[in-house]
Amino acid sequence: MYCPYLLLLLSLGVSAVEVQRPRGVPLSKRQFYEEGKPFTCLDGSRTIPFDRVNDDYCDCQDGSDEPGTAACPNGSFHCTNAGFRPAFIPSSRINDGICDCCDTTDEYNSGAACQNTCRELGRKERESLQKMAEIAKEGFMLKQQLIQEAKRGLEEKKGKLAEVQTSKKDLEDKVEALRSVKEAAEQPEKEAKERHLKAWEDQKAVIRKEKDMAKMAAVFLELDADADGSVSVAELLLHSELDQDSDGTFTETEAQGLLGGVDKVDTVAFEAVWSNIKDKYISEAKADTTAPVETPQEETRESVSDTDSEQYPEDDIPEDEEEEDEDDEDEDPDDGEYKSPPTTRTQEKKDDEDEGTMPPYDQETQNLIDTAQKARNEFDEAERALREVDDQIRNIEKEISFDFGPSAEFGYLYNQCYELTTSEYIYRLCPFSRVSQKPKYGGSETSLGTWGKWAGPDDNVYSVMKYEHGTGCWQGPNRSTTVKLTCGKETVVTSTSEPSRCEYLMEFTTPAVCQEPPSLDSMHPDHEEL
């Protein structure tokens, strides 16, 4: 990329040899202007005598007969600019009083006080080109170092990959061995836990049975209104909630059916009756706050009669029933509708709470649990290590297969990030990963694209990076960034801009793009154009 500059650098420093030709004609077209021979317009439109060249009259349509005058509007004048770079200017600028050519040749007849600045301009340009040539040379030397480091790094990664793949096989064997140990330890643990749970369930069943019997005895005393040691049909009829067919009428026949077909039962026979009524039975204490079953809609908001609640003195109400009354006080006082008994699941939950928590495991069971847990922990740790090894293998394989340039010279940029701070933002470029932008004085980061591809021209594809699919713009496309790489001794982001909405341009210098400069000894131009 620096060959043209080096050629110019060399050409600016050699001696000049003047070649005679009409004013304004470049050396490359001298052969078309032979004095004494007819001149043919360069577009071939006509042929004229040579003395009509530069006669200040435009004869050729392409203006080629007046290269040194302003006669033709479409003509061009060649500035020789000895000691600097030759240039072309429009013919209209000839003798306009403004010095356009550094050698002053465009103002040969205007009287303008022009000074020849070509040598000074050439000197400055030579200094600039010399610096660029030195940067190119040093950058290329750094590039060679990067290539060698990339080769060593590639070999190291391949060796690491083989090593990790071997360790993966060992880990897989270890995981399977620990899996067997874990499963072997979990089986006796499971059986011991099941035995413990069954013992606890049996214990809870005994507790529930005892509580049920105590509640049954309390209900029997509550139903035995005349305290004669038995519950009769008449006493049962006082509890309309026991209506079996829920038709709103609790008949003697239905009550007698609950008592097993007899008129009254004692405490022994009541056990069979209890199993049929306990789910529906509501004590008188509860009846104080509940309305009769199947109350017509118009009456559902009326106050419930207190008649039934006075049948037994407060002291005769069993303790369990009093606790249930306290629970009922939390209900909406305006809700006069019939309250159904607690659901089975709610009752079971309350029973479980009453029964306490499961006792701790015995020492033998606890030892089995500890052994199984240790086996699980060791198995989980081995599995985690295996997943980490899989991730490591994927990352190494990805890095090995990545396109880091013809000689992997861009590999050193991988897993690195470079920042540029402007007056408003901090731009961050992570080559082969992403580009982002963050407000300088606080705020969230915005993605300007993730790695897409190399996007340079066919003859220099590794000169441009493309990052795509960034954060979407408001009512616009997703942000994207083009990164142009230029030769430099340092790796640094030099500039950012947004030439189009949501499309960013970033300049990035790196020695990885520096090309080998041509040898100065191989070029010997023997003259410069005059």
Side-chain angles (χ1 to χ4, degrees):
M1 62 186 295
Y2 291 99
C3 292
Y5 298 113
L6 291 172
L7 287 171
L8 179 59
L9 176 62
L10 290 170
S11 67
L12 292 175
V14 299
S15 59
V17 177
E18 184 174 1
V19 179
Q20 294 297 325
R21 58 190 184 278
R23 179 183 285 113
V25 175
L27 184 61
S28 60
K29 295 181 180 180
R30 174 186 173 278
Q31 69 271 25
F32 301 113
Y33 296 84
E34 292 189 32
E35 190 172 358
K37 293 184 179 181
F39 172 75
T40 300
C41 301
L42 297 184
D43 63 0
S45 59
R46 63 185 298 190
T47 299
I48 59 175
F50 191 81
D51 58 6
R52 292 169 63 177
V53 172
N54 280 341
D55 65 347
D56 206 21
Y57 182 84
C58 192
D59 297 290
C60 297
Q61 293 180 358
D62 62 358
S64 56
D65 64 313
E66 297 297 320
T69 74
C72 297
N74 58 341
S76 62
F77 178 84
H78 181 260
C79 303
T80 303
N81 291 343
F84 189 50
R85 288 182 283 108
F88 284 93
I89 62 172
S91 295
S92 58
R93 296 183 183 179
I94 298 173
N95 291 322
D96 64 350
I98 300 174
C99 304
D100 297 291
C101 301
C102 67
D103 63 0
T104 74
T105 54
D106 60 314
E107 298 301 318
Y108 60 88
N109 198 30
S110 69
C114 297
Q115 293 184 350
N116 190 324
T117 59
C118 290
R119 295 294 176 184
E120 179 61 19
L121 292 173
R123 182 187 65 78
K124 291 181 178 180
E125 185 168 75
R126 284 193 298 274
E127 290 177 356
S128 175
L129 292 174
Q130 183 65 41
K131 289 181 180 179
M132 293 178 66
E134 290 173 358
I135 291 174
K137 182 178 179 180
E138 292 181 39
F140 183 74
M141 291 174 64
L142 290 172
K143 178 179 179 179
Q144 298 309 303
Q145 295 177 18
L146 293 174
I147 291 173
Q148 294 304 315
E149 290 173 4
K151 288 180 179 178
R152 289 193 296 270
L154 181 60
E155 293 304 316
E156 290 175 1
K157 290 181 179 66
K158 288 180 177 179
K160 180 66 174 177
L161 180 60
E163 178 185 332
V164 175
Q165 286 173 333
T166 300
S167 67
K168 177 184 177 180
K169 181 65 175 65
D170 295 339
L171 272 175
E172 287 174 337
D173 294 341
K174 181 179 180 180
V175 166
E176 291 308 312
L178 290 175
R179 189 194 306 277
S180 300
V181 172
K182 178 178 77 77
E183 292 173 353
E186 285 177 335
Q187 185 58 34
E189 174 201 35
K190 178 183 177 184
E191 294 171 355
K193 279 185 171 181
E194 289 174 350
R195 286 194 300 270
H196 183 84
L197 180 61
K198 185 178 184 305
W200 171 233
E201 292 295 339
D202 292 344
Q203 183 180 343
K204 287 197 296 183
V206 171
I207 295 172
R208 283 195 293 269
K209 180 66 175 176
E210 292 174 350
K211 287 187 175 182
D212 189 62
M213 296 303 291
K215 186 176 181 181
M216 180 187 72
V219 170
F220 182 87
L221 292 175
E222 187 176 297
L223 288 172
D224 186 10
D226 56 6
D228 64 351
S230 62
V231 174
S232 65
V233 169
E235 291 169 331
L236 206 60
L237 284 172
L238 296 175
H239 288 265
S240 59
E241 75 273 9
L242 299 179
D243 179 15
Q244 294 299 291
D245 56 11
S246 301
D247 63 354
T249 304
F250 188 28
T251 65
E252 289 187 12
T253 302
E254 289 175 323
Q256 193 172 40
L258 288 174
L259 295 178
V262 297
D263 292 335
K264 63 173 64 176
V265 294
D266 57 14
T267 56
V268 176
F270 186 70
E271 186 173 347
V273 177
W274 174 242
S275 62
N276 294 328
I277 69 172
K278 62 182 179 181
D279 291 337
K280 286 191 173 185
Y281 178 79
I282 301 176
S283 70
E284 281 86 348
K286 283 188 177 181
D288 289 347
T289 57
T290 58
V293 181
E294 301 295 334
T295 301
Q297 185 66 31
E298 305 83 28
E299 301 175 3
T300 55
R301 295 295 174 179
E302 296 181 1
S303 301
V304 179
S305 173
D306 294 332
T307 304
D308 292 340
S309 64
E310 299 296 326
Q311 291 184 9
Y312 298 97
E314 184 177 349
D315 293 341
D316 292 341
I317 299 175
E319 184 178 353
D320 289 350
E321 300 297 330
E322 290 181 354
E323 293 175 359
E324 292 174 4
D325 284 349
E326 293 174 2
D327 294 339
D328 291 341
E329 289 175 4
D330 295 334
E331 297 174 359
D332 187 351
D334 294 333
D335 190 357
E337 296 182 3
Y338 169 71
K339 295 291 190 302
S340 61
T343 62
T344 302
R345 289 188 63 183
T346 304
Q347 188 63 42
E348 287 178 353
K349 181 178 180 181
K350 184 176 183 303
D351 290 343
D352 287 342
E353 292 173 354
D354 293 342
E355 291 157 5
T357 57
M358 185 173 67
Y361 295 112
D362 59 80
Q363 190 58 49
E364 181 181 356
T365 301
Q366 189 60 52
N367 290 341
L368 291 172
I369 292 173
D370 293 343
T371 300
Q373 188 58 49
K374 180 182 178 183
R376 280 190 289 270
N377 292 341
E378 291 177 350
F379 172 76
D380 291 343
E381 182 62 32
E383 264 203 331
R384 184 163 47 252
L386 181 58
R387 286 194 298 270
E388 289 175 357
V389 165
D390 281 334
D391 291 341
Q392 195 174 3
I393 289 174
R394 279 193 295 271
N395 290 336
I396 295 175
E397 288 178 338
K398 177 183 177 182
E399 190 171 351
I400 288 176
S401 63
F402 220 103
D403 182 6
F404 291 125
S407 301
E409 58 267 36
F410 296 97
Y412 81 102
L413 299 174
Y414 193 71
N415 286 333
Q416 301 296 318
C417 293
Y418 304 89
E419 291 185 349
L420 174 67
T421 301
T422 65
S423 58
E424 293 185 69
Y425 296 102
I426 299 173
Y427 292 91
R428 186 176 177 86
L429 168 64
C430 301
F432 309 109
S433 178
R434 61 191 179 89
V435 181
S436 63
Q437 166 190 277
K438 187 175 182 179
K440 185 176 180 180
Y441 299 106
S444 59
E445 188 176 76
T446 300
S447 171
L448 303 185
T450 55
W451 169 253
K453 59 185 178 181
W454 291 106
D458 292 341
D459 60 343
N460 194 13
V461 69
Y462 296 102
S463 62
V464 178
M465 291 176 164
K466 188 69 176 178
Y467 294 80
E468 304 167 312
H469 310 300
T471 304
C473 287
W474 172 249
Q475 295 184 341
N478 288 347
R479 291 174 171 84
S480 63
T481 302
T482 298
V483 181
K484 290 187 176 181
L485 281 65
T486 56
C487 174
K489 295 185 292 183
E490 298 180 346
T491 302
V492 61
V493 178
T494 57
S495 69
T496 60
S497 61
E498 189 178 0
S500 300
R501 182 169 180 251
C502 306
E503 294 181 2
Y504 297 81
L505 176 63
M506 191 172 277
E507 300 282 347
F508 185 58
T509 64
T510 167
V513 295
C514 294
Q515 302 298 320
E516 183 176 10
S519 172
L520 299 180
D521 296 333
S522 64
M523 300 181 221
H524 301 284
D526 16 21
H527 66 276
E528 85 176 355
E529 182 177 291
L530 285 177

